[in-house]
Structures are given as C-alpha cells and as structure tokens.
Amino acid sequence: MKAENEQRTGLLYGFGAYGMWGLVPLFWPLLEPSGAIEILAHRMVWSLAVVGLALLALRRWGWIRELLRQPRKLGLTALAATVISVNWGLYIWAVNNEHVVEASLGYFINPLVSIAIGVLLLGERLRRAQWVAVGLSFVAVLVLAVGYGRPPWISLVLAFSFATYGLIKKKLGMGGLESLTAETAVLFLPALGYVLWLGAQGRSTFTSHGVTHSLLLAATGLVTAVPLVFFGMAAIRVPLSTLGLLQYMAPVFQFGLGVLYFHEAMPPERWAGFSLVWAALVILTWDALRTARRSRARLAAAAPTVLATPAREPA
C-alpha cells in the first residue's frame, strides 16, 4: 500500500512538472516588452536565489566543497550552463516571436536526437524499431523544411541543445537541485552584470514598467525551479519508463497552445511533418515498453531457477 501511495504521489509530481513545462508559453509573453536576453538574464539571477533558499532550508551544502575540488566537473558544469542558456534563451525568443509550434517540435524530436547522439558519441547499438523511428524523424525534418521554406532550425537547436545538456548531466551525475544551483551560479555574475548594464544604459524594463512587471521578472526563478523540483520528486517515485511517457505531455501542451491559443498556421505539409514525428515517437514508445516487458519476463523466469538451486556445502 505504501509503495502504491508513493507511486501515486510521484505521478502527481510528474504531471505537475510536465504540465508546468507545457503551459510555460503562456508566461513568457507576460514579460514583454522585455527582450529574450533580458528575460534570460533575470531567469538566471532569480533562479539562483530560489534554489539557494531551497538548499538553505534543506541544509544541503556539502556537495559544493566536493565540486570545487574537481576541475573536470567544474568544466562540465560550465559547459552545461552554457548549453542550457542557449536552450532557454532560444525558447523564450521563439515563444515571444510566434514560433510556439516550431518550439514544441524541438521537444517532440528530442528523444530521437538523444538516440542519435547515443549512437554517434557513445557507440550504442539500435534495435530495428529504433532505426525506423530515427529514419522517420529524418524524413519529417525534410518535409518540414520544405513546408517552412527553410530547415526548422528553432526545433533542431532546441532538440540538440537539450540532448547535449542531458548527455553532460549524465556525465556529471549530480542531483537536479544541486546541478541547477551550480549552473546558475556559473551564469550568475554575467547575468547580473548584463542586468546592471541595461539599467545603466536606461534600457532595463525591470524598474521602468511598474511593480507587476518587476514581480513577473522575479518570478522567472520560481518558473524555472518549481517544475524541476517536482520532476526530482517524481523521478525517485515512479519508474523511468513512466517518466519517459510523461515527457510527451509538455510538447503536446505547447503544440496545442501554439495552434489553439496563439493561432499559429498549420498548413498541410506541417501536419504531414508532425504526423511523421508522432509516428516515430509511437514506434519508439512501443519498442521501449516491449523491451521493458521482455526484461521483466526474463527476470521473473530466472527467479524460480535461482531459488530452486540448492546451496552447496562448504568444502
């Protein structure tokens, strides 16, 4: 019963995390007339404040000394911070420039890009279904390039930057809250310097558009940290396969907002491209579930054999 309650709680946290990530396109337009770089700088500054308070409440500071003693980890942290800042900045720009649908495509194809990176950089071998899914996604990008009259570069940069970020995080092996703290700490001084420079130039919107606008910019810290904390709560309570399915919530919400709320155009060739991506994801999900089921069946079949094997007497 306790395990079921934990899993139910984990699912609620997972729905909360991916639901917030899916609805975040509604938030960024509220920050106009701030530009994408100014919003990004405030996001970095206020995120550090939020996670710093969280770590203070939890009294989790020991990892900082260990990190400072490892130059390689520090370098990877700085690289992760750079990559995620590109991802964040481009996503904010895309939403505020009416490219929500194209941005959502980036997170639809992200799992497929992660698979490609695994093959190219980590030497991983693909199953037949995974090859089919990757092939379909490649065709989808070509179809969308024809439809847009250009490669869907927003989607591709978002997908590749987030997949690269995931690869770096895998090598770092740090917890979500700790890694976000380290990354925002790396970015804090440049971000704060940019905010102060904008103020000195008279171009900052933080103090020139009223208290509400200032509070909304400060809220970027919560918008960044809260779903990440929820995700961490979910990750320790539900199976990875379940989280893998939940991750599609965010781009589905974003795509729905782009079409139904922001009324972005979806001509037939874009529907065709998205349909190919969705078909690839269906194949990928089916293959992952089938592989997990077979693994569980093999373990279940092996367990009675292990239990039935008599113990040998010591010599």
Side-chain angles (χ1 to χ4, degrees):
M1 178 65 74
K2 184 178 179 181
E4 288 181 7
N5 289 337
E6 280 288 293
Q7 190 159 348
R8 193 176 298 114
T9 302
L11 279 173
L12 290 175
Y13 278 123
F15 280 119
Y18 285 109
M20 283 185 276
W21 280 326
L23 295 175
V24 79
L26 295 172
F27 178 72
W28 302 124
L30 299 178
L31 303 179
E32 292 178 339
S34 299
I37 298 178
E38 183 180 5
I39 295 172
L40 177 62
H42 277 282
R43 186 177 190 180
M44 294 168 182
V45 169
W46 295 107
S47 292
L48 182 61
V50 171
V51 294
L53 288 173
L55 288 174
L56 188 63
L58 295 171
R59 298 181 180 179
R60 282 161 54 180
W61 299 105
W63 60 272
I64 297 176
R65 187 177 302 169
E66 183 182 345
L67 177 63
L68 292 175
R69 291 173 179 169
Q70 301 179 64
R72 181 177 175 274
K73 264 197 169 184
L74 278 174
L76 285 174
T77 299
L79 183 59
T82 302
V83 171
I84 199 60
S85 65
V86 170
N87 183 275
W88 286 354
L90 179 58
Y91 185 78
I92 294 167
W93 179 89
V95 170
N96 286 353
N97 286 272
E98 300 179 353
H99 294 289
V100 177
V101 169
E102 191 176 349
S104 75
L105 176 64
Y107 294 104
F108 276 124
I109 66 175
N110 176 67
L112 298 159
V113 171
S114 295
I115 288 174
I117 287 177
V119 172
L120 296 173
L121 298 183
L122 303 180
E124 296 177 357
R125 299 183 66 180
L126 298 187
R127 297 181 291 274
R128 186 178 301 173
Q130 290 176 312
W131 275 116
V132 172
V134 171
L136 277 175
S137 67
F138 180 74
V139 174
V141 170
L142 292 178
V143 171
L144 287 164
V146 171
Y148 279 108
R150 57 170 175 79
W153 67 270
I154 294 173
S155 308
L156 294 172
V157 172
L158 288 175
F160 275 92
S161 61
F162 201 73
T164 303
Y165 178 67
L167 178 65
I168 299 168
K169 297 272 277 190
K170 184 177 180 180
K171 291 183 177 293
L172 274 170
M174 294 173 64
L177 190 60
E178 289 84 354
S179 61
L180 180 62
T181 305
E183 290 155 21
T184 50
V186 168
L187 298 167
F188 177 78
L189 286 179
L192 182 62
Y194 181 75
V195 168
L196 294 176
W197 178 80
L198 282 179
Q201 296 291 312
R203 295 164 54 191
S204 172
T205 64
F206 184 67
T207 57
S208 61
H209 285 75
V211 175
T212 301
H213 185 74
S214 300
L215 291 174
L216 285 171
L217 281 172
T220 55
L222 290 172
V223 169
T224 300
V226 172
L228 187 66
V229 171
F230 276 28
F231 174 79
M233 296 289 193
I236 61 176
R237 289 175 169 84
V238 298
L240 193 60
S241 58
T242 304
L243 276 182
L245 293 174
L246 286 177
Q247 74 173 326
Y248 297 127
M249 274 181 60
V252 165
F253 281 12
Q254 292 163 10
F255 177 81
L257 286 172
V259 174
L260 301 174
Y261 182 81
F262 293 103
H263 304 293
E264 294 185 12
M266 280 296 291
E269 58 271 18
R270 289 186 196 172
W271 280 113
F274 270 86
S275 297
L276 287 169
V277 170
W278 294 332
L281 292 176
V282 168
I283 293 170
L284 197 64
T285 303
W286 168 78
D287 177 69
L289 292 174
R290 183 186 62 168
T291 303
R293 194 181 307 117
R294 286 179 176 177
S295 298
R296 287 195 297 268
R298 281 197 294 267
L299 288 172
T305 305
V306 173
L307 292 173
T309 303
R312 295 183 178 180
E313 292 292 330

